[in-house]
Amino acid sequence: MSGHGHSHSHGHSCADEAHNHGHGHNDEHGNNAHDNSAVEGEEWSLFLSIKTSHLTCLNATSSSRISSIFKPRDKCLDTSQGFITSDVDPQLILTIPFTSPVNIRSICVVGNSRATSPASLKLFTNRNDIDFDNVESLRSEQTIELAENLDGRVEHPTQYTKFQSVSELIMFFDSNFGGDVTEIIYIGLKGTTTKHKREAVVANYELKPVPKANSVSETSSSYIA
């Protein structure tokens, strides 16, 4: 129970990859963290599918820049555009809406310092009713004990079957490593989008006249995903 003014109750680091190639304002356990030895930049491109103008983070300070933590993998340690800081205590509820449903395979969370890095994360999907009044009583899709990940090396795999066709991802950070506040400078989401651009291919077929019938022109449409 925390107080928010209401009852609620050996992989590549970011630098390696770069070298190699609020107050609610807008702007089951998976502990198998591991260093990712084959990070591909495009695999972390789900930040391009986020509706940044609809991001919300409850208990973030008014100076927090929510959208700034979603960026290219090779910029994960860059804080020049800002980061998220919690306000009255270490807890944060971050809601991430997507422009189209996504499949999320793993998550990378980078804190700003050892004490203020988030230590525990509960994940929910496709809900719009979560706040500090109910979040601790709800069953999450997955709970992750986070590593102190100050260089962006560690990624945490999701229970993949639970994170398919995700339109909205809710992250509840309920503790850190001892600091008065929580600071997050980067969140990376690895996976794929389910959006398929379909183009109608129209083929016109002119059929030869059939005895005792008029000439027929038939148009058929097929779709290529």
Side-chain angles (χ1 to χ4, degrees), residues 22-27 52-57 62 64-67:
H23 281 306
H25 65 281
N26 288 331
D27 186 341
T52 55
S53 62
H54 290 75
L55 286 164
T56 63
C57 190
S62 58
S64 293
R65 296 284 301 277
I66 303 173
S67 62

Side-chain angles (χ1 to χ4, degrees), residues 190-205:
K190 178 189 282 188
T192 57
T193 179
T194 61
K195 181 179 182 181
H196 297 289
K197 295 182 179 178
R198 298 174 180 269
E199 296 181 356
V201 179
V202 179
N204 294 316
Y205 298 94

Side-chain angles (χ1 to χ4, degrees), residues 22 25-27 52 55 57 60-71 78-85 94 184-186:
H25 65 281
N26 288 331
D27 186 341
T52 55
L55 286 164
C57 190
T61 61
S62 58
S63 61
S64 293
R65 296 284 301 277
I66 303 173
S67 62
S68 69
I69 69 171
F70 300 100
K71 51 200 168 189
D78 181 5
T79 59
S80 62
Q81 300 302 311
F83 50 89
I84 292 177
T85 304
L94 176 63
I184 301 172
I185 67 173
Y186 173 78

Side-chain angles (χ1 to χ4, degrees), residues 97-205:
F98 297 97
T99 57
S100 61
V102 298
N103 302 327
I104 303 171
R105 187 171 296 281
S106 62
I107 294 171
C108 176
V109 180
V110 180
N112 198 35
S113 68
R114 191 167 300 277
T116 64
S117 293
S120 181
L121 169 62
K122 292 183 179 179
L123 299 171
F124 305 85
T125 61
N126 301 336
R127 299 187 63 140
N128 58 9
D129 61 341
I130 295 179
D131 57 26
F132 285 114
D133 291 325
N134 63 11
V135 67
E136 295 190 52
S137 63
L138 297 174
R139 182 181 179 86
S140 63
E141 269 68 51
Q142 184 172 347
T143 298
I144 299 174
E145 299 306 318
L146 297 171
E148 291 180 307
N149 184 25
L150 300 182
D151 60 4
R153 288 180 178 270
V154 181
E155 66 178 275
H156 299 269
T158 64
Q159 295 173 6
Y160 188 56
T161 57
K162 296 183 178 182
F163 294 89
Q164 298 187 32
S165 296
V166 177
S167 297
E168 196 162 77
L169 179 67
I170 300 90
M171 295 182 157
F172 173 42
F173 299 94
D174 62 354
S175 64
N176 61 18
F177 287 94
D180 292 333
V181 298
T182 294
E183 294 179 322
I184 301 172
I185 67 173
Y186 173 78
I187 292 178
L189 302 173
K190 178 189 282 188
T192 57
T193 179
T194 61
K195 181 179 182 181
H196 297 289
K197 295 182 179 178
R198 298 174 180 269
E199 296 181 356
V201 179
V202 179
N204 294 316
Y205 298 94

Side-chain angles (χ1 to χ4, degrees), residues 19 37 58 220:
H19 176 72
S37 59
L58 300 180
S220 65

